[in-house]
Amino acid sequence: MTEITGYDTIRWEHDKVVLLDQRRLPEKELYLTCDDYRQVVEAIQTLAIRGAPAIGVAAAMAAALGALQSPTRQVQEFQRHFQDICQVIAGARPTAVNLTWALKRMQALVAAHLDQGIDELKQLLVTEAQNILREDIAINRQLAAAGQGLIQEGDTVLTHCNAGGLATGGYGTALGVIRAAWEKGKKIQVIADETRPILQGARLTTWELMKLGIPHTLITDNSAACLMAQGKIQLAVVGADRIAANGDVANKIGTYGVAVLAQYHKIPFYVAAPLSTFDFSLSEGRQIPIEERDGREVTQIQGLPIAPDGCRALNLAFDVTPHGLIAGIITERGVILPPLPKNLEDLRTNMEES
Amino acid sequence: MTEITGYDTIRWEHDKVVLLDQRRLPEKELYLTCDDYRQVVEAIQTLAIRGAPAIGVAAAMAAALGALQSPTRQVQEFQRHFQDICQVIAGARPTAVNLTWALKRMQALVAAHLDQGIDELKQLLVTEAQNILREDIAINRQLAAAGQGLIQEGDTVLTHCNAGGLATGGYGTALGVIRAAWEKGKKIQVIADETRPILQGARLTTWELMKLGIPHTLITDNSAACLMAQGKIQLAVVGADRIAANGDVANKIGTYGVAVLAQYHKIPFYVAAPLSTFDFSLSEGRQIPIEERDGREVTQIQGLPIAPDGCRALNLAFDVTPHGLIAGIITERGVILPPLPKNLEDLRTNMEES
């Protein structure tokens, strides 16, 4: 599916999980091979793999790997083992809901097949993890097709962080929308926020855009406002880590600022995310748990200190953008327009009925 | 004057210019000694010394150094030499008007003393450069005293870039206001934007705040919006590189975004700058020349690549904040409040009369 770009974010291979180590990009394209589910958990925690949909796929594959590692031949005991494994995986990172979404799906599969033998159950889980990967790529292509019409010939699109093939099973959400517009033949440009502290924009988004041949310019996060004021940005598209029932969106730190600035400059601000990113159990964004990471990710860049020894730094990994700032959420079921609370409620009702 | 902090941003010593190499901070406190005015120009261009008022002092000292280097014994020829030298210095960086302000003052001194001998003229210029340094520190203390009342007990103040002792002859403008509030005994905290790409906030502002013992937290530039939304910031204070007649302010890239975000969150946004930063010859901010620096300052951090080879990056060093977003400009003549166009016109008239 990712034939153009020539890399896999993550794949299942000979009962192992193989993932592109995104900490080393763009300098090196190195793959990590995990034969223990705890290695996948560590890869998620240390950001070797990141991006909500990719974390979902990784969690599913970690669970399948954990299932293979279970020594028991007794189904009830296997289910308990599997639940414990899923709990460890669920604790890897708190904000992206795709992680628990994937684990719930894997656990539901076990619950629905307790009449099967252990080996069959394990095989079902391995197949399901691969299904989740395959479906994620297909869903990205669907939402990209649904959203690309929002980008016009000649537009310059701002994106924050990385919501590309690397953040998903493949193809990408926000970057998928941009890619689909480009593949339709529209001459567009991308402005990539570098996205401190982890620099996913500088390291990953530019790397993907280079592979795709889409014209792009890297900027420091603090330059976006100035370019908006100069009329150089026509729309902004970002991904999401979790979306509450009312349409409030948790995404990479800095997203909320982009959304406020976009509104001030009358630039539409879109979110692109699969339905697995929605958490209808939360009525609004402030209920979303926001991960606070080690301050050294701010005071050091790739191990190099950039602040005085002992300097206190705050490192919130995500922020919440209220739905009122969002022009639309691009999903595999189409673009959900404002008013988001009502239209998401309708979507939810439809999903439950179908 | 800077006894608490134990460093000099720049000083005149035995007919040489000695300046703290800010490129090496916070890791190393190294002083550069310049005995050729071109070395000072290079120090300005390479950001060994930066900050509009400090650039003004450096330009004056560079001019004095250049004057000492002139071999002629003929006053008219000396004046021509001196003009050439000043032109080279004036070209060092385009945005901070303090640079040309200081050079005009030095050239006016020469023009007013053409009846003197060469040696007397040179000595006058050396004294004048030292006067400009001394006056800058005194002016910073005045504007800090005028502005500190804007900060209340318990406030958390956001600042962007570095407008401290390092950006001036000493004491600081925006950081001077914060320092004065702290020295009045107010329990305050500072949030320092790291300020990509050169990281003056991470490297310099935190270094100064540590020396002063003022509680502070370093954040990535893209975190400010989220903290504003959480009610954790009571006001923002920044410096300026050039202020147009209507109150539009050019300052470090990212300042405009902070100002828009502050307005959205109903947080007052102040600018602190000496009158030497005003350029009444420009009616509005869009006439201010904005320096575009090498994209490698964005694609590399301290020489370490953070983006793919050949990645295009835009590196605007400054942006312009329209006066409508500014709650007040703190100067040595007090805080100028809105409407800024009218009140700055009155200030200008007063200055011309006095």
Side-chain angles (χ1 to χ4, degrees):
Chain A
M1 299 291 268
T2 55
E3 69 293 341
I4 292 180
T5 47
Y7 67 89
D8 288 326
T9 304
I10 185 168
R11 64 175 181 262
W12 184 269
E13 196 174 277
H14 307 307
D15 287 349
K16 294 192 174 84
V17 177
V18 178
L19 54 89
L20 184 54
D21 187 346
Q22 299 188 28
R23 297 168 300 187
R24 306 299 300 276
L25 287 176
E27 206 195 346
K28 289 213 166 72
E29 289 183 35
L30 289 177
Y31 285 85
L32 288 177
T33 301
C34 308
D35 53 14
D36 185 317
Y37 79 93
R38 295 176 201 88
Q39 292 174 295
V40 183
V41 170
E42 197 192 334
I44 294 171
Q45 287 171 331
T46 58
L47 313 181
I49 187 164
R50 29 61 53 200
I55 288 174
V57 176
M61 289 196 176
L65 204 54
L68 294 186
Q69 292 174 257
S70 174
T72 182
R73 302 299 308 165
Q74 207 277 320
V75 168
Q76 302 302 329
E77 197 185 13
F78 173 79
Q79 190 180 23
R80 280 197 304 278
H81 271 187
F82 190 69
Q83 279 168 348
D84 291 346
I85 287 163
C86 287
Q87 208 172 336
V88 172
I89 301 168
R93 291 190 73 191
T95 303
V97 76
N98 313 60
L99 194 152
T100 42
W101 168 88
L103 295 171
K104 276 183 199 158
R105 183 161 153 180
M106 298 292 273
Q107 286 174 300
L109 189 78
V110 172
H113 295 86
L114 292 175
D115 56 339
Q116 308 262 323
I118 293 284
D119 294 336
E120 289 74 18
L121 261 177
K122 288 181 178 177
Q123 196 46 55
L124 279 171
L125 287 167
V126 168
T127 303
E128 187 74 349
Q130 289 171 286
N131 287 344
I132 287 176
L133 167 61
R134 198 164 30 241
E135 287 169 24
D136 184 63
I137 299 172
I139 284 168
N140 285 338
R141 287 181 179 270
Q142 282 171 37
L143 74 81
Q148 65 82 20
L150 300 168
I151 304 177
Q152 309 300 315
E153 169 77 19
D155 277 357
T156 296
V157 189
L158 176 72
T159 191
H160 187 72
C161 197
N162 171 270
L166 290 169
T168 62
Y171 201 83
T173 54
L175 223 49
V177 172
I178 290 166
R179 179 174 169 179
W182 176 256
E183 287 170 352
K184 279 268 179 191
K186 297 177 196 172
K187 287 185 193 68
I188 57 172
Q189 301 212 37
V190 180
I191 303 274
D193 274 352
E194 64 173 0
T195 318
R196 280 279 291 146
I198 307 296
L199 296 162
Q200 292 93 337
R203 296 190 302 108
L204 309 179
T205 297
T206 58
W207 183 80
E208 289 198 41
L209 290 168
M210 262 189 191
K211 282 190 182 279
L212 293 164
I214 304 176
H216 58 280
T217 303
L218 175 65
I219 60 168
T220 56
D221 300 319
N222 60 26
S223 302
C226 175
L227 295 180
M228 288 184 186
Q230 292 173 357
K232 291 185 177 158
I233 294 170
Q234 279 68 54
L235 74 161
V237 190
V238 302
D241 287 81
R242 194 185 300 215
I243 303 176
N246 69 344
D248 293 352
V249 169
N251 190 46
K252 181 55 52 204
I253 187 73
T255 301
Y256 168 63
V258 171
V260 171
L261 292 168
Q263 186 187 63
Y264 184 82
H265 295 94
K266 301 184 172 53
I267 294 165
F269 173 88
Y270 293 101
V271 173
L275 294 172
S276 56
T277 305
F278 286 79
D279 183 352
F280 288 112
S281 77
L282 304 182
S283 59
E284 51 182 38
R286 63 175 145 180
Q287 297 165 311
I288 299 173
I290 298 297
E291 179 180 9
E292 187 177 334
R293 293 181 64 86
D294 195 316
R296 282 173 295 188
E297 289 181 352
V298 175
T299 58
Q300 302 177 356
I301 294 182
Q302 296 178 17
L304 196 76
I306 56 157
D309 258 1
C311 179
R312 181 176 181 269
L314 180 67
N315 184 12
L316 298 171
F318 304 95
D319 60 26
V320 174
T321 300
H323 62 82
L325 296 170
I326 300 168
I329 302 182
I330 304 161
T331 76
E332 65 269 38
R333 293 234 191 164
V335 183
I336 321 289
L337 295 172
L340 290 174
K342 183 190 171 299
N343 291 340
L344 287 178
E345 175 63 29
D346 292 350
L347 172 74
R348 182 187 185 177
T349 311
N350 279 335
M351 282 167 66
E352 280 166 4
E353 281 167 5
S354 67
Chain B
M1 299 292 268
T2 56
E3 70 291 340
I4 292 178
T5 48
Y7 68 89
D8 288 325
T9 304
I10 186 167
R11 64 175 182 264
W12 184 268
E13 196 174 277
H14 308 307
D15 287 347
K16 294 191 173 82
V17 177
V18 179
L19 54 90
L20 184 55
D21 187 346
Q22 300 188 28
R23 296 167 301 187
R24 306 300 300 275
L25 288 176
E27 206 195 345
K28 290 216 164 73
E29 290 182 35
L30 288 178
Y31 285 85
L32 289 177
T33 301
C34 308
D35 53 15
D36 187 317
Y37 80 94
R38 294 176 201 89
Q39 292 174 295
V40 182
V41 170
E42 198 193 332
I44 294 170
Q45 286 170 331
T46 58
L47 312 181
I49 187 163
R50 28 60 56 199
I55 288 175
V57 175
M61 288 193 177
L65 204 54
L68 293 186
Q69 291 174 256
S70 172
T72 182
R73 304 297 309 164
Q74 208 277 322
V75 169
Q76 302 301 331
E77 196 185 15
F78 173 79
Q79 190 181 23
R80 281 196 304 276
H81 271 184
F82 190 69
Q83 279 168 348
D84 291 347
I85 288 163
C86 286
Q87 208 171 335
V88 172
I89 301 168
R93 292 189 73 192
T95 304
V97 76
N98 313 62
L99 195 153
T100 41
W101 168 88
L103 295 171
K104 276 183 201 159
R105 183 162 152 179
M106 298 292 273
Q107 286 174 300
L109 189 78
V110 171
H113 294 87
L114 292 176
D115 55 337
Q116 307 261 322
I118 293 284
D119 294 335
E120 289 73 17
L121 262 178
K122 289 180 176 178
Q123 195 47 54
L124 278 172
L125 287 168
V126 168
T127 303
E128 188 72 350
Q130 290 171 287
N131 286 345
I132 287 175
L133 168 61
R134 199 164 30 240
E135 286 169 24
D136 185 64
I137 299 173
I139 284 168
N140 284 337
R141 286 181 179 269
Q142 281 170 37
L143 74 82
Q148 66 81 22
L150 300 168
I151 304 177
Q152 308 301 315
E153 169 78 20
D155 277 357
T156 296
V157 188
L158 175 71
T159 190
H160 188 72
C161 195
N162 171 269
L166 290 169
T168 61
Y171 202 82
T173 55
L175 223 49
V177 172
I178 290 165
R179 178 174 170 180
W182 176 256
E183 288 171 352
K184 278 270 180 190
K186 295 177 196 172
K187 287 187 194 68
I188 57 173
Q189 300 211 37
V190 180
I191 303 274
D193 274 352
E194 63 174 0
T195 319
R196 280 279 290 148
I198 307 295
L199 296 162
Q200 292 92 338
R203 297 189 303 108
L204 309 179
T205 297
T206 58
W207 183 81
E208 288 198 42
L209 290 167
M210 263 189 189
K211 283 191 182 277
L212 293 165
I214 304 175
H216 59 280
T217 304
L218 175 65
I219 59 168
T220 57
D221 299 320
N222 61 24
S223 303
C226 175
L227 295 180
M228 287 183 187
Q230 292 173 355
K232 290 184 178 158
I233 293 170
Q234 279 67 55
L235 74 158
V237 190
V238 302
D241 287 81
R242 195 185 298 215
I243 304 176
N246 69 343
D248 293 352
V249 169
N251 191 46
K252 182 54 52 204
I253 187 73
T255 301
Y256 168 64
V258 171
V260 171
L261 292 168
Q263 186 187 62
Y264 184 83
H265 295 94
K266 302 184 171 53
I267 293 165
F269 173 88
Y270 293 101
V271 173
L275 294 173
S276 56
T277 305
F278 286 78
D279 183 351
F280 288 112
S281 77
L282 303 183
S283 59
E284 52 183 38
R286 62 176 146 180
Q287 298 166 311
I288 299 173
I290 298 297
E291 179 180 8
E292 188 177 335
R293 294 179 63 86
D294 194 316
R296 281 175 295 187
E297 289 181 350
V298 175
T299 59
Q300 302 178 356
I301 294 181
Q302 296 177 18
L304 196 76
I306 57 158
D309 259 359
C311 179
R312 179 174 182 269
L314 180 67
N315 184 12
L316 298 171
F318 305 95
D319 59 25
V320 174
T321 300
H323 62 81
L325 296 169
I326 300 169
I329 303 182
I330 304 161
T331 76
E332 65 267 40
R333 292 234 192 165
V335 183
I336 321 290
L337 295 172
L340 289 174
K342 183 191 171 299
N343 291 338
L344 287 179
E345 175 63 30
D346 292 350
L347 172 74
R348 181 187 185 176
T349 311
N350 278 333
M351 281 167 68
E352 281 165 2
E353 282 167 1
S354 66

